[in-house]
Amino acid sequence: RVVATMAGAVVGGIVGNEIGRKLDERDRLLAREAEYEAWERGAPGRPVKWRNPDNGRYGEVIPGEAFARGPETCREYEHRVYIDGRPQIMRGMACRNPDGTWRSVS
């Protein structure tokens, strides 16, 4: 239940990206959980890692410093996903919605 809540608290990010289309459902769930953790509680520059033991895919989300963008709290981030050992890199920015969820804005 907590996992579903956390995964539902992220809009965009890896799911809306071309890299996300290369991942299976479990990969996307683990990646969204890592994004949420990085945006919500991650230390700037410290990777939040995820790994799917079923297929060996893994990745890490590296959050930047939190900053104010108008009334919102936002963070830039880099999400590295390793598919067959090769890195795929996505960079973006996520902002917290008034209800506490996060959305990727770029």
Side-chain angles (χ1 to χ4, degrees), residues 3-43:
V3 170
T5 300
M6 286 182 6
V10 177
V11 177
I14 196 72
V15 174
N17 185 278
E18 182 178 326
I19 297 169
R21 288 190 283 279
K22 297 176 184 176
L23 303 176
D24 67 21
E25 186 175 332
R26 178 83 173 135
D27 296 333
R28 286 190 295 273
L29 175 66
L30 294 166
R32 284 192 313 258
E33 289 173 359
E35 285 179 344
Y36 176 81
E37 183 65 26
W39 299 339
E40 187 70 16
R41 289 180 277 283

Side-chain angles (χ1 to χ4, degrees), residues 32-64:
R32 284 192 313 258
E33 289 173 359
E35 285 179 344
Y36 176 81
E37 183 65 26
W39 299 339
E40 187 70 16
R41 289 180 277 283
R46 176 179 261 164
V48 174
K49 299 178 183 222
W50 63 270
R51 176 176 293 276
N52 185 341
D54 298 333
N55 61 21
R57 291 185 183 143
Y58 61 99
E60 59 187 13
V61 182
I62 305 164

Side-chain angles (χ1 to χ4, degrees), residues 61-73:
V61 182
I62 305 164
E65 291 279 349
F67 62 92
R69 181 177 147 183
E72 299 176 318
T73 298

